[in-house]
C-alpha cells in the first residue's frame, strides 16, 4: 500500500509538470539539501549548532539581530555564541579570516574575495564591505562578538566600517573606545534617508540593544555565558550549560531542548521533552536512534555525507538519500522512498552559481533548466518550453524588466518595475496577452520602515473591462499591521497580522504585492479578520496548496459568516507554484516540522496559555490537513485533548487518536482524499462521506463547495453552544 501511494504521488507530480503549471519559477528556490541531524547536529563532528533571530527591524533593508551558537568554534573546543561576527576580520600576509552573513567562519587565501589595498571586500551577492585597521577588540560579557574565534589568530585586526548593499543602500558600523560594536545605521542610496538603526549599551553582565522602532532587547550573562535573552514580540529564552557546552534551551518556561555530550560530541538530543535522539559515532558512520524514525549517516574520507538511510520502528529501511560531490559542491542527490526514485543534479560555475539543474522521477526527466549570470545576478533561465530574461537597474540588484518567452521566441508575459529616488519600488506594469495590470505603491517612508506600503492599488484591464483593487495598511509600534481590502472602492474584507511572527525577515514590497494580488512568495504567517472574539474559545483555519492569501482570507471570512461574525484566526500556508507546493506536501507526508507547522503550534499554545480551560475548533482544507496532523504530533496530550479538527476534503485523514475529536468530510466526487487510502482504512471511524450538492462542481474539492456548507455550520453552532455552556458552568 505504501508503495502504491508513493507511485500515485509520483504520477500526480509528473502529470502536473507536463501541464506546464510551474515552468516559470526558479526551481533552485527549493529548499537546500540539509545533511544535519535534526537541522542542528553535524553527523561527522558531533558539533551542535543553533541559530536564533531575536528581532528584525523590518524595511526595504531589514536590520536583523541574529546570533549563532557552535559547540566547537575554537581550538579549545569551548562552545560560544557569536553576534555580528562579520564586523571583525583578521589578516596576515597569506590568509584572511572572517565570517559570512550566515555566521559561518572560514579561512581564505589572501587576497580574500576581491579584497584590495583599501581593504574592500566584495561578497558573492555584490555587497561591498569596507574595513579599517584596529587593535584587537576587547569584547566583554561572554565573548559575544566571537572573541573565541579570533583570539588564537596572529596578524592585523580590522573593523567593518560600512557596507554598500547591492541595491545601493548603505550600512554603517560604529564602535566604542574598547572596539565594541556600538551603533548600526542603515541609510538609503542618497546617504540621507535613515531606514533603521540599532544601538548597543554594555553593562557589567548585560548587553542592551535599542532599535529605531522603539524596541529593546536585553542579553544577560553569567560567568561569561549567555543565560537569558529578553526580546519584544517573542517569548524570552533562557540557556543552561555544562562546563563547556550548551545543554538546555528554555522558551516561555518550557524546556524546548536538552543536549548531552560524550567526548565533546552530542550523544543525546531531547526536543520538547518528548522526542529523544540517541547518537552513536563510528568510523565513517553515525547512527541516530529514535522510537519513530531512526537514521544512519555515512560519510567519506573528505568528511562529506554520502548517504542517509531512514529506518522505521522495526528497523526496516524505507528511504535512502545519496549525495555526490565535486570538491565541496553537491552535484547530485538521489532519493529512493518506496516506489519513488527522485534524482536532482546540478552544475556550477566558478563563482558557485547553479548554471544547470536537472530533476527526474522514476527515471523520467521532469525538467532540465539552465541559468546565466552577470556579476552573480541571474539574467537568463531557460528550459525546453520557456525562457525568462531579467534586466536590472545599473549598479544595483533591483529588477527593472522581466520578460517571459515561449520556445519560439514569442513574448508571453512582460513586467516592468519603477523605483523612487531611494531605490524603493513604486510602480509595476505587467502585460500578458490581452491582460494589463498597473500597480501603484505608496511606500511607508517614516521610521520604522517595515517592508510594506501604506497603500497599494492595482488596476487591471481585460478585454476593455477595468477592475481596481486596493489595499490600505496601518501600522502600530508592536508590529501589528491592519489592512483593509477594497474592490472598485467597495470594502471587501479586513485582516491583521504580526510582522514578527513571520520567518521571512527580508519581507519586501514585491513580496507583499504578491501575497495580496497573487500566489505569495512570502512565508507562512498567522492572520485574523479583526472581528469580535469568542468569549470562551477560538476558531481556526489552515489552507491547502495553490491558494493565495486573498483566497485563504475569503475562506476564513466564509467560516466567520457561518459563525455569526466571530473572529477566525487562520494560518496562511504560503503557496508558491505547483512544484514547490507539492514538494512541501511531500515533506509533510514524511512528518517534517516546517515553519507553517511551528506557527500553528504557536497559535494553539498562545491561546491555551491565556485560556487554559478552553478548547479550539480548527478547520483545515485539502493539504492543510498535513499541517494540522504534524502540528498535533508536536503538542502534549493535554493540549491535543482540547482541539477539535474538522477537515474539509482532506489530502490526509486526521485521526481522532491525535486530538479531542476529528471529522474528515469527503465528497464522493472528490478523488484527493482517496490517495490516503491507508488513512481511509485505518481511521474509517473518523471519515464521513457526503453526497455532492446539485450546485457543486464535477470535481467537488473546493472549500467553497455548497456540499460542505451545512457540516461546517453544524460544527460551528455546536462548538459555540458548548463554549457558552462551559462559560456558564
Amino acid at each position: 500500500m505504501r508503495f502504491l501511494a508513493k507511485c500515485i504521488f509520483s504520477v500526480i507530480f509528473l502529470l502536473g509538470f507536463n501541464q506546464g503549471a510551474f515552468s516559470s519559477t526558479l526551481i533552485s528556490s527549493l529548499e537546500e539539501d540539509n545533511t544535519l541531524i535534526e537541522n542542528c547536529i553535524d553527523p561527522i563532528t558531533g558539533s551542535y549548532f543553533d541559530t536564533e533571530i531575536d528581532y528584525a527591524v523590518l524595511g526595504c533593508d531589514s536590520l536583523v539581530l541574529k546570533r549563532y551558537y557552535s559547540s566547537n568554534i575554537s581550538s579549545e573546543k569551548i562552545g560560544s555564541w557569536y553576534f555580528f561576527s562579520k564586523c571583525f576580520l583578521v589578516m596576515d600576509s597569506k590568509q584572511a579570516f572572517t565570517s559570512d552573513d550566515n555566521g559561518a567562519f572560514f579561512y581564505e587565501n589572501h587576497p580574500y574575495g576581491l579584497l584590495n589595498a583599501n581593504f574592500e571586500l566584495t561578497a558573492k551577492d555584490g555587497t561591498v564591505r569596507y574595513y579599517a585597521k584596529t587593535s584587537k577588540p576587547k569584547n566583554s560579557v561572554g565573548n559575544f562578538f566571537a572573541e573565541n574565534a579570533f583570539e588564537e589568530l596572529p596578524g592585523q585586526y580590522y573593523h567593518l566600517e560600512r557596507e554598500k548593499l547591492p541595491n545601493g543602500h548603505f550600512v554603517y558600523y560604529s564602535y566604542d573606545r574598547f572596539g565594541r560594536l556600538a551603533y548600526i545605521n542603515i541609510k538609503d542610496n542618497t546617504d540621507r534617508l535613515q531606514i533603521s538603526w540599532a544601538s548597543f549599551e554594555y553593562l557589567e553582565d548585560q548587553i542592551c540593544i535599542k532599535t529605531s522602532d522603539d524596541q529593546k532587547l536585553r542579553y544577560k550573562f553569567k560567568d561569561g555565558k549567555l543565560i537569558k535573552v529578553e526580546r519584544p514580540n517573542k517569548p524570552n529564552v533562557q540557556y543552561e550549560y555544562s562546563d563547556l557546552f550548551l545543554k538546555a534551551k528554555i522558551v516561555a518556561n518550557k524546556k524546548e531542548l536538552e543536549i548531552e555530550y560524550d567526548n565533546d560530541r552530542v550523544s543525546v538530543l531531547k526536543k520538547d521533552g518528548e522526542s529523544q535522539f540517541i547518537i552513536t559515532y563510528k568510523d565513517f558512520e553515525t547512527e541516530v536512534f529514535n522510537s519513530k524514525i531512526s537514521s544512519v549517516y555515512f560519510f567519506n574520507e573528505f568528511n562529506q555525507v554520502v548517504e542517509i538511510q531512514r529506518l522505521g520502528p522495526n528497523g526496516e529501511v524505507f528511504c535512502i538519500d545519496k549525495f555526490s560531490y565535486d570538491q565541496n559542491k553537491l552535484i547530485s542527490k538521489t532519493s529512493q522512498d518506496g516506489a519513488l526514485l527522485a534524482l536532482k543534479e546540478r552544475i556550477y560555475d566558478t563563482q558557485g552559481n547553479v548554471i544547470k539543474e536537472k530533476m527526474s522521477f522514476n527515471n523520467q526527466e521532469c525538467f532540465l533548466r539552465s541559468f546565466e549570470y552577470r556579476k552573480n545576478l541571474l539574467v537568463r533561465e531557460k528550459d525546453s518550453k520557456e525562457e525568462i530574461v531579467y534586466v536590472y537597474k545599473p549598479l544595483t540588484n533591483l529588477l527593472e524588466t522581466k520578460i517571459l518567452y515561449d520556445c519560439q521566441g514569442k513574448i508571453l508575459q512582460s513586467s516592468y518595475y519603477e523605483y523612487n529616488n531611494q531605490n524603493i519600488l513604486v510602480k509595476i506594469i505587467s502585460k500578458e496577452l490581452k491582460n494589463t495590470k498597473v500597480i501603484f505603491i505608496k511606500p511607508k517612508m517614516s521610521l520604522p520602515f517595515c517592508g510594506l506600503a501604506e497603500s497599494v492599488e492595482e488596476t487591471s484591464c481585460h478585454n476593455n473591462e477595468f477592475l481596481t483593487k486596493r489595499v490600505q495598511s496601518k501600522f502600530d509600534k508592536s508590529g501589528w499591521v491592519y489592512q483593509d481590502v477594497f474592490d472598485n472602492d467597495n470594502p471587501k474584507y479586513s485582516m491583521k497580522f504580526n510582522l514578527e511572527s513571520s520567518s521571512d525577515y527580508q519581507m519586501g514590497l514585491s513580496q507583499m504585492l504578491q501575497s495580496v494580488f497573487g500566489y505569495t512568495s512570502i512565508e507562512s504567517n498567522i492572520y485574523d479578520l479583526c472581528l469580535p472574539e469568542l468569549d470562551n474559545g477560538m476558531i481556526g483555519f489552515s489552507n491547502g496548496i495553490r491558494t493565495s492569501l486573498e483566497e485563504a482570507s475569503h475562506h476564513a471570512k466564509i467560516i466567520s459568516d457561518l459563525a455569526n461574525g466571530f473572529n477566525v484566526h487562520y494560518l496562511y500556508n504560503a503557496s508558491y507554484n505547483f512544484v514547490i507546493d507539492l514538494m512541501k506536501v511531500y515533506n509533510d507526508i514524511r512528518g517534517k516540522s516546517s515553519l507553517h507547522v511551528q506557527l500553528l503550534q504557536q497559535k494553539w499554545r498562545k491561546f491555551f496559555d491565556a485560556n487554559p480551560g478552553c478548547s479550539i475548533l480548527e478547520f483545515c482544507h485539502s493539504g492543510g490537513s498535513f499541517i494540522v496532523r504534524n502540528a498535533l504530533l508536536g503538542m502534549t496530550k493535554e493540549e491535543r485533548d482540547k482541539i477539535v479538527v474538522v477537515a474539509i476534503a482532506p489530502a490526509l485523514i486526521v485521526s481522532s487518536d491525535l486530538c479531542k475529536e476529528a471529522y474528515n468530510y469527503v465528497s464522493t466526487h472528490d478523488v484527493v482524499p482517496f490517495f490516503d487510502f491507508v488513512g481511509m482504512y485505518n481511521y474509517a471511524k473518523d471519515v464521513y462521506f457526503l453526497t455532492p450538492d446539485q450546485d457543486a462542481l464535477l470535481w467537488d474539492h473546493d472549500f467553497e463547495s455548497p456540499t460542505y456548507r451545512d457540516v461546517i455550520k453544524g460544527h460551528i453552532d455546536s462548538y459555540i453552544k458548548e463554549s457558552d455552556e462551559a462559560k456558564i458552568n
Side-chain angles (χ1 to χ4, degrees), residues 361-379:
F361 287 86
N362 291 343
N363 297 318
Q364 181 176 346
E365 183 177 298
C366 284
F367 69 83
L368 175 64
R369 186 175 289 257
S370 60
F371 307 92
E372 182 181 332
Y373 303 84
R374 188 170 297 123
K375 294 183 178 180
N376 286 321
L377 290 174
L378 178 67
V379 295

Side-chain angles (χ1 to χ4, degrees), residues 50 52 67 227-229 231 235-241 246-258:
D50 198 354
E52 191 79 34
R67 54 194 164 86
I227 59 171
K228 186 175 183 180
V229 181
R231 49 196 181 175
N236 294 341
V237 58
Q238 296 174 268
Y239 298 98
E240 296 177 356
Y241 299 84
L246 179 69
K247 72 173 184 179
K249 178 180 179 180
I250 303 166
V251 180
N253 298 320
K254 292 183 179 179
K255 193 161 284 191
E256 188 176 273
L257 207 64
E258 294 179 83

Side-chain angles (χ1 to χ4, degrees), residues 109 132 171 186 270 318 347 366 425 534 546 555-556 608 650 729:
N109 290 332
V171 186
I186 301 181
K270 296 179 182 178
F318 68 85
I347 299 176
C366 284
L425 186 66
L534 279 169
R546 298 293 288 164
H555 294 166
F608 288 140
N729 296 331

Side-chain angles (χ1 to χ4, degrees), residues 8-55:
I8 292 174
F9 181 86
S10 178
V11 170
I12 295 173
F13 199 103
L14 293 173
L15 287 176
F17 183 86
N18 290 333
Q19 294 170 359
F22 43 78
S23 53
S24 61
T25 298
L26 270 173
I27 203 65
S28 295
S29 61
L30 290 170
E31 64 176 6
E32 291 298 318
D33 299 299
N34 190 338
T35 58
L36 295 177
I37 300 171
E38 289 300 299
N39 297 316
C40 62
I41 301 170
D42 187 322
I44 301 172
T45 65
S47 300
Y48 172 77
F49 303 98
D50 198 354
T51 302
E52 191 79 34
I53 294 179
D54 294 315
Y55 189 67

Side-chain angles (χ1 to χ4, degrees), residues 674-685:
F674 290 91
F675 291 140
D676 184 21
F677 54 85
V678 176
M680 284 277 197
Y681 176 81
N682 290 336
Y683 313 121
K685 67 182 188 314

